[in-house]
Amino acid sequence: MKVLAINGSPHMDNGNTALILDPFLEGMKEAGANVDLYNTRNLKIGPCNGDMSCWFKNPGKCGQDDDMKMLLPKLKEADVIVWASPVYYAGITGPLKNLMDRQLPLHIFGESSGKRQKVVLVSTCGFWDISMFDPLVSQMKAIYARPGGSTEFAGALLRPGADPMRDMMKGDGAAVLTSIFVAAKEAGRQLVKEGKISEKIQNDVSKKFMPEEEYKKAANAMMEEIKKSIKS
Ligand SMILES: Cc1cc2nc3c(=O)[nH]c(=O)nc-3n(C[C@H](O)[C@H](O)[C@H](O)COP(=O)(O)O)c2cc1C
């Protein structure tokens, strides 16, 4: 099974999104999948120019010369595509959206890819409430869960209230976080072995890890620290 994961976080491996993405990919690897991970920050990929030359002039080919040339065949061959992104203004990050738009040469109107791909969303956000992910999940479903389409939206690993996670790992919160990372890894194993991620495991990744008031205090303290570190 070929898995292509793309992380749209500018923080790449040091971000909150990677805290969920990494064990998920690890679970898939341990279950035998062949996993490739790319970070948009390391890729040179401009926005789609919308000229439709990839449909009507040179079908299947993009006229731009950038890293999308390398990525398009990988997107085409993948059995599983993992879109990973922090929530930015209630959506995915700009670089990841640019990359998504540039898939147009693979989706020529009226042509089927002939391959049944599964798609997973991995996302983290600063807000406490899980509804912050609704626009991203809706977008994924609108793209990948169309009736009669060749793709399947296989689930989402969503971690709200993610901002204090790295600090929590150093203290008393480590145990609850470990259970979340274990769930993310299990999600990877399930996807490879069973073809889907159970609702229970998806909920375990999103579970509340502290009372809301405590979270707000931790988030405020973290903001103060960032402020200080930027000033110094
Ligand atoms: C420009 C920007 C916009 C953001 N917009 C939202 C938002 O709309 N909702 C939210 O809950 N968090 C928002 N956040 C917080 C991030 O989603 C959150 O910190 C995330 O876990 C960061 O992941 P990363 O460390 O992998 O980049 C925003 C952060 C930035 C920098």
Side-chain angles (χ1 to χ4, degrees), residues 121 133-142 153 156 158:
L121 170 69
F133 298 105
D134 289 353
L136 288 81
V137 172
S138 291
Q139 183 186 30
M140 288 289 151
K141 287 185 177 163
F153 183 49
L158 308 173

Side-chain angles (χ1 to χ4, degrees), residues 9-11 14-18 86-90 124-127 132 162-163:
S9 165
H11 299 117
N14 298 320
N16 300 332
T17 308
V87 176
Y88 271 18
Y89 284 90
T124 65
C125 79
F127 275 44
M132 183 47 74
D163 283 329

Side-chain angles (χ1 to χ4, degrees), residues 12 15 33 68-70 91 97 146 153-155 180 196 209 212 219:
M12 303 195 279
M68 213 53 206
K69 272 198 173 148
M70 169 279 291
K97 182 64 167 64
R146 287 189 318 274
F153 183 49
I180 287 167
K196 56 181 193 251
F209 50 45
E212 186 170 359

Side-chain angles (χ1 to χ4, degrees), residues 73-94:
K74 293 180 187 292
L75 282 158
K76 189 174 180 176
E77 284 161 21
D79 300 297
V80 177
I81 299 174
V82 180
W83 296 113
S85 179
V87 176
Y88 271 18
Y89 284 90
I92 57 172
T93 58

Side-chain angles (χ1 to χ4, degrees), residues 23 41 70 101 104 107 126-127 134 146 152 156 178 186 212:
R41 190 166 184 172
M70 169 279 291
D101 294 348
L104 201 64
H107 303 144
F127 275 44
D134 289 353
R146 287 189 318 274
E152 180 189 331
T178 301
E186 170 61 11
E212 186 170 359

Side-chain angles (χ1 to χ4, degrees), residues 31-135:
N34 189 333
V35 179
D36 258 354
L37 167 65
Y38 290 91
N39 289 286
T40 53
R41 190 166 184 172
N42 290 334
L43 297 169
K44 188 176 158 274
I45 295 177
C48 173
N49 61 22
D51 68 4
M52 303 300 287
S53 66
C54 64
W55 280 17
F56 303 120
K57 192 174 169 197
N58 297 305
K61 289 206 165 54
C62 178
Q64 298 192 53
D65 185 13
D66 62 14
D67 283 332
M68 213 53 206
K69 272 198 173 148
M70 169 279 291
L71 217 53
L72 277 171
K74 293 180 187 292
L75 282 158
K76 189 174 180 176
E77 284 161 21
D79 300 297
V80 177
I81 299 174
V82 180
W83 296 113
S85 179
V87 176
Y88 271 18
Y89 284 90
I92 57 172
T93 58
L96 194 64
K97 182 64 167 64
N98 278 345
L99 192 157
M100 241 184 212
D101 294 348
R102 293 283 303 283
Q103 296 178 97
L104 201 64
L106 300 179
H107 303 144
I108 298 178
F109 182 70
E111 282 185 16
S112 159
S113 69
K115 193 177 172 84
R116 198 154 177 90
Q117 284 182 316
K118 290 182 197 281
V119 173
V120 177
L121 170 69
V122 174
S123 189
T124 65
C125 79
F127 275 44
W128 175 255
D129 200 299
I130 192 149
S131 65
M132 183 47 74
F133 298 105
D134 289 353

